[in-house]
Amino acid sequence: MKQVDQKDINNAAWAACDTFRGVVDPAQYKDYILVMLFLKYISDVWQDHYESYREQYGDDDERIRRKLERERFVLPVVRLIETDEKTGEGTLLDEFPATYYSLYDRRAAANIGELVNIVLDHIEESNKSKLEGVFRNIDFNSEANLGKTKDRNRRLKQLLEDFHKPQLNMKPSLVSEDVIGNTYIYLIERFASDSGKKAGEFFTPPKVTELVARLAMPKPGDRICDPACGSGGLLVQAARQIGSRDFALFGQESNGSTWALCRMNMFLHSFDSARIEWCDTLNSPLLVENDRLMKFNCVVANPPFSLDKWGAENAESDRYNRFWRGVPPKSKGDWAFISHMVEIALEKEGRVAVVVPHGVLFRGAQEGQIRRKMIEENLLDAVIGLPGNLFPTTNIPVAILVFDRSRENGGAREDCKDVLFIDASREFRSGKNQNTLSDEQLEKIMAVYNSREDVEKYAHVADFGEIKENDFNLNIPRYVDTFEEEEEIDIDAVQQEIDELEKELAEVRVKMAEKLQQINRNSGG
C-alpha cells in the first residue's frame, strides 16, 4: 500500500473541517476534529497490530486479546444492553469494539452522537492512567454545538466518512508518528489562524516556538517545563532540540479543553510519560514534589499577555514564596509568570525563555522593582525584540527574555555580568494576515545570541552600569540604535528635474492648443 505523506494527510484532515465550517465556530469545531483525528489514529494502530497478530497466531483470539491488552492504548468491547424495567433482565442490543471503524459502520444510526460519546467513555475508562479526563469536555451529542438531531447526525456521518479517506489511514506501516504529530500541530495552527483574536491563545507560531526552545538550550537528561503550556507546541519543540528520548516533559494549563488537546498532542508525538496538569499555574501550581515546587533544567512559556485578575490578592501569602521580589499589579500578570518561571528553574543551572509584551521591559512601579531585582541578581541574559503581527491573537510586537540561573554566584557563568540586546523587529517575512520569521532570520538571531557581540543596528551587549544608567529600563531602542539617517537631498538635481518637467509641460500645452484650434476649424466654429 502507498505510504501517506505529510502534505496529503494535512490536506485531507483540513478538508474534513468543511463539514463544520461556516456552521460551527472554529474555536468549537477544532475540538471535534482533533478528537476524531486522535480516535482514528489509535484505532488504526490497534487495527494494524491486530492484523499483525492475526497473521502470527491465526484464529487464536485469546492469545491475540492478551497481546492487545499490552498495547499503548486498549480499545475495549462496547456492549449496549437494554434493561427491562419490570423484570430487570437485560437484552444485548449491540456489541462492537470501541474503535473509529465501529462508528463508521454505524454512521447512519439515529443516535450516532450518543454512540461516539459511548466509545470515547469506554476508551477513557480502559486507559485511565493515560486518558482520564481527556474527553470530558467534548460532547458529540450536543445540540448547542452541533445542531438539532437531523443536522447533527448528517454532520457526524459526513465527518466519519471524511476520516475514512485513504490519506487519513494512519496505520504505523503507512505513516510515521512524526507525520501524525505534525498534522495535529498543523491543524492547531490553522484553527488558531481561523479563530483569530477570539481563541488563538492555545497556540504559539512554529518559528517562535522553535526560537524559544533553542534559546532555552535543552540537553539530554533535562527536565523541561512549560507552566502555561497551551496545546503543548513549545514542549514538543523543546524535546525535538535534544535529538534523543532522554528528557522528561512537564506542563500545566488552565483551560480544560486546551489541556485535553495538549495531552493528545503528547500521545501523538509518543511522549506518553509527559506530565500535563490541568489548573491555574499562578494560583494552584500542581507540579509539586515533597510539598515544594518541582525544579527544572529548562523552563519555557508563552504565557497570556498582561493577564488581568491573575490572583494578585493571593500572592502575598503564596505558600511557595514565589513573589518575594514584589507582587505584580493585579491587572498585569506578566511578571507573575516570569517570577514563577525563575523560581522553578534549578538554582545555579536552570534556564528560562519566555515570550512577553514590550511593556514588561519598561513599565514602572512594582514591575520596575521586580525587573531591577532580577537584573541585580545577574539573572537576565538576553532581551530579543521580535517583529509585530507574528501571532494570530495580537499584532503587537513581542520580545523574548532569557534568564540563566548559571549566572548566579557559584554558577558556571557567574562571571558574565552583561545583558545582550537584539533588535530583530525589522526582519520578517511579510504575510497576508500574519508575519513569520524565515529560517535565515531565525539562524541570524541564534548566531548573534551565541557570539554575544555588538552588531551595528542589530545587537548590543550592555554592561550593568549602562542598564543602571537607564534606570533598569530595558526598552530595546535605548540600547540598539536602529535610526536610519535620511538620504541627503541634492537641491541642484531636484531643480534640474523641475526645469525639465516645466519644459515638457510647456511643450504639451502648445500641442494641446494646436489640437484645439484644429478641432474648432473642422467644426466651423
Side-chain angles (χ1 to χ4, degrees):
M1 202 177 281
K2 189 190 165 201
Q3 290 279 316
V4 180
D5 74 28
Q6 187 75 65
K7 197 177 166 193
D8 288 344
I9 192 169
N10 285 358
N11 289 342
W14 186 242
C17 304
D18 286 340
T19 301
F20 295 120
R21 209 168 276 131
V23 184
V24 184
D25 192 285
Q28 282 187 327
Y29 75 66
K30 77 173 194 309
D31 296 335
Y32 292 97
I33 296 288
L34 293 171
V35 166
M36 190 55 73
L37 181 77
F38 182 68
L39 173 65
K40 182 67 169 41
Y41 163 68
I42 59 176
S43 300
D44 280 338
V45 173
W46 180 267
Q47 189 75 19
D48 202 41
H49 291 181
Y50 176 82
E51 284 165 11
S52 154
Y53 293 139
R54 186 109 186 148
E55 276 179 22
Q56 213 172 337
Y57 304 120
D59 291 334
D60 189 347
D61 276 348
E62 181 65 23
R63 202 165 177 189
I64 293 173
R65 190 180 56 76
R66 281 204 307 273
K67 280 279 184 189
L68 286 170
E69 281 172 1
R70 293 180 207 147
E71 290 287 307
R72 275 174 73 203
F73 296 101
V74 175
L75 304 189
V77 171
V78 176
R79 290 187 178 83
L80 298 179
I81 295 170
E82 186 179 56
T83 305
D84 189 310
E85 287 181 7
K86 290 180 184 170
T87 63
E89 286 181 12
T91 307
L92 183 65
L93 298 178
D94 200 358
E95 182 174 343
F96 53 85
T99 67
Y100 157 84
Y101 292 101
S102 300
L103 293 170
Y104 178 77
D105 291 342
R106 290 159 182 77
R107 63 192 183 281
N111 62 339
I112 183 63
E114 191 186 348
L115 289 176
V116 180
N117 286 346
I118 290 170
V119 162
L120 294 178
D121 283 347
H122 274 70
I123 292 174
E124 192 173 315
E125 187 63 29
S126 298
N127 299 274
K128 258 190 172 172
S129 63
K130 288 184 174 178
L131 295 179
E132 188 168 18
V134 166
F135 303 130
R136 87 174 64 162
N137 291 297
I138 191 96
D139 179 3
F140 279 81
N141 207 31
S142 165
E143 186 171 305
N145 288 345
L146 299 178
K148 292 190 174 176
T149 309
K150 191 177 168 188
D151 286 340
R152 183 167 71 244
N153 286 351
R154 182 177 56 76
R155 286 185 188 120
L156 291 176
K157 179 170 179 277
Q158 186 62 53
L159 181 67
L160 288 162
E161 287 173 355
D162 285 339
F163 272 87
H164 203 255
K165 288 176 184 168
Q167 298 94 318
L168 285 172
N169 188 337
M170 292 176 268
K171 287 183 179 181
S173 50
L174 295 178
V175 58
S176 75
E177 278 170 346
D178 267 0
V179 170
I180 297 159
N182 289 341
T183 298
Y184 193 79
I185 286 180
Y186 166 82
L187 285 176
I188 288 177
E189 182 180 359
R190 295 290 301 261
F191 288 130
S193 167
D194 267 24
S195 304
K197 290 177 175 48
K198 275 191 296 180
E201 277 195 355
F202 51 84
F203 172 75
T204 306
K207 284 294 171 195
V208 179
T209 58
E210 185 181 342
L211 181 58
V212 172
R214 288 178 65 178
L215 289 165
M217 296 183 172
K219 56 188 186 307
D222 274 0
R223 293 213 297 194
I224 303 164
C225 176
D226 182 344
C229 63
S231 49
L234 253 173
L235 286 172
V236 169
Q237 193 58 253
R240 280 181 177 162
Q241 301 305 315
I242 292 178
S244 73
R245 308 288 296 182
D246 184 15
F247 54 79
L249 299 181
F250 299 83
Q252 188 162 339
E253 169 57 39
S254 60
N255 180 302
S257 61
T258 307
W259 166 83
L261 293 185
C262 183
R263 293 282 306 274
M264 287 186 275
N265 199 4
M266 293 300 119
F267 294 130
L268 289 171
H269 284 89
S270 299
F271 303 150
D272 289 16
S273 58
R275 179 176 162 191
I276 309 296
E277 298 288 352
W278 173 14
C279 216
D280 171 1
T281 286
L282 297 181
N283 290 286
S284 309
L286 294 182
L287 295 170
V288 171
E289 58 189 0
N290 302 324
D291 208 28
R292 291 182 175 184
L293 290 172
M294 290 175 73
K295 299 281 186 177
F296 304 93
N297 308 86
C298 285
V299 186
V300 291
N302 170 28
F305 294 160
S306 301
L307 186 66
D308 192 12
K309 298 173 188 165
W310 59 270
E313 63 280 10
N314 304 320
E316 289 279 5
S317 56
D318 178 52
R319 63 185 297 189
Y320 303 109
N321 196 27
R322 288 170 292 171
F323 309 108
W324 62 271
R325 296 180 185 86
V327 176
K330 62 182 179 184
S331 61
K332 289 186 174 57
D334 303 308
W335 279 100
F337 279 107
I338 297 170
S339 298
H340 172 81
M341 293 173 76
V342 168
E343 289 303 305
I344 62 172
L346 276 169
E347 284 174 26
K348 298 174 190 169
E349 184 186 334
R351 291 176 60 83
V352 171
V354 54
V355 183
V356 295
H358 274 238
V360 165
L361 307 179
F362 55 78
R363 288 194 296 251
Q366 301 103 308
E367 292 178 279
Q369 182 190 331
I370 302 167
R371 188 169 62 239
R372 175 181 182 149
K373 284 188 176 171
M374 289 211 185
I375 296 167
E376 286 175 340
E377 288 168 49
N378 198 31
L379 297 176
L380 183 63
D381 193 49
V383 179
I384 299 160
L386 297 180
N389 207 22
L390 285 180
F391 287 76
T393 46
T394 176
N395 55 15
I396 61 166
V398 300
I400 297 174
L401 297 184
V402 181
F403 296 90
D404 185 353
R405 295 199 65 171
S406 75
R407 295 170 48 130
E408 290 173 318
N409 285 338
R413 292 184 66 211
E414 66 173 333
D415 293 336
C416 182
K417 303 290 184 188
D418 48 34
V419 176
L420 172 66
F421 289 82
I422 298 177
D423 185 350
S425 63
R426 296 180 302 166
E427 298 185 5
F428 56 89
R429 185 181 285 164
S430 184
K432 191 178 165 193
N433 300 317
Q434 212 175 309
N435 297 328
T436 54
L437 294 175
S438 67
D439 289 339
E440 294 74 24
Q441 288 152 356
L442 196 150
E443 289 303 330
K444 182 178 175 184
I445 294 171
M446 286 309 301
V448 173
Y449 177 78
N450 289 324
S451 69
R452 218 172 172 78
E453 288 175 352
D454 279 17
V455 177
E456 194 180 354
K457 298 192 184 306
Y458 190 77
H460 175 60
V461 182
D463 61 24
F464 179 80
E466 188 177 355
I467 296 172
K468 190 177 178 185
E469 207 170 283
N470 275 302
D471 200 20
F472 299 94
N473 183 323
L474 301 175
N475 204 16
I476 298 169
R478 288 185 179 229
Y479 303 91
V480 184
D481 178 13
T482 55
F483 179 73
E484 297 280 354
E485 284 191 14
E486 286 185 27
E487 205 175 316
E488 203 170 311
I489 298 171
D490 184 342
I491 302 289
D492 292 341
V494 172
Q495 187 57 52
Q496 191 181 348
E497 194 178 346
I498 291 171
D499 292 346
E500 282 173 10
L501 286 170
E502 283 181 343
K503 193 177 161 192
E504 279 178 36
L505 187 62
E507 287 171 2
V508 169
R509 279 182 175 148
V510 169
K511 282 182 186 171
M512 276 185 68
E514 287 172 1
K515 290 278 181 195
L516 283 170
Q517 275 184 357
Q518 198 176 1
I519 292 167
N520 285 337
R521 276 200 300 275
N522 292 343
S523 61

